[in-house]
Amino acid sequence: MAVHGSSDILVDELYETTHQLRQFVETRLRAGGASVARLRALRMLARTEQPLRMRDLSEMTGVAARTTTSIVDSLERDGLVERVRHPHDRRAFLLRLTDKGRECHREAEEVDGLALAEATAELDAEDRAQLRSLLARIRKATA
């Protein structure tokens, strides 16, 4: 049963489900030394062909600049990301994955995929299509 944090039980249940799903995935990622936040940063860096500015990574992940800096510092400390000089701006740095970072990203994506498959295993194709349609309607109404 959802905690009543809003005036709409449906919204409360949506928030609670999202939170619980994140915790479910987070627990599995942590067993391998990863986290949802770190995976999101690794994912964005892996999907781009060029190194990213810190600001771009922050915008792409929807995370505050200060939080992005903490995440990147941690990834750099673990040898997963490196800062390289911007070719046109001597004051700026770009971020790119290291080989170890690419491997960590691949492994974390695998764990994430398995966890999400487990979490949604009870939903058949029709359930999934209906849920996606309903969520799309909410997103459209709030755009």
Side-chain angles (χ1 to χ4, degrees):
M1 182 92 175
V3 175
H4 297 283
S6 76
S7 59
D8 187 330
I9 188 67
L10 176 65
V11 172
D12 291 338
E13 289 181 359
L14 183 59
Y15 280 138
E16 182 177 327
T17 302
T18 302
H19 177 73
Q20 191 170 332
L21 182 59
R22 182 182 174 116
Q23 291 304 110
F24 183 81
V25 173
E26 188 81 37
T27 299
R28 279 147 180 82
L29 287 170
R30 286 218 182 271
S35 70
V36 171
R38 286 170 59 107
L39 174 55
R40 288 178 69 192
L42 292 171
R43 183 178 285 148
M44 293 305 124
L45 289 166
R47 288 182 179 172
T48 61
E49 294 183 19
Q50 301 296 322
L52 293 174
R53 293 177 303 165
M54 187 80 75
R55 178 177 31 159
D56 296 330
L57 181 60
S58 180
E59 289 174 5
M60 292 170 78
T61 58
V63 175
R66 173 177 265 158
T67 303
T68 300
T69 299
S70 295
I71 293 167
V72 169
D73 286 349
S74 143
L75 292 170
E76 185 179 35
R77 188 175 48 252
D78 292 344
L80 305 178
V81 168
E82 62 185 350
R83 287 179 167 96
V84 294
R85 287 267 179 212
H86 192 291
H88 308 296
D89 183 349
R90 293 182 324 173
R91 299 166 298 162
F93 287 90
L94 299 172
L95 307 169
R96 72 176 172 207
L97 289 179
T98 62
D99 289 341
K100 183 178 177 183
R102 279 187 277 287
E103 178 64 20
C104 180
H105 168 251
R106 187 194 61 71
E107 290 171 1
E109 287 286 9
E110 189 173 309
V111 171
D112 182 64
L114 290 171
L116 293 174
E118 182 181 344
T120 60
E122 294 294 316
L123 302 177
D124 63 21
E126 184 178 326
D127 292 334
R128 294 174 70 86
Q130 182 178 14
L131 180 56
R132 290 187 70 206
S133 174
L134 294 169
L135 292 172
R137 288 169 56 189
I138 292 171
R139 286 192 306 274
K140 182 178 178 184
T142 57

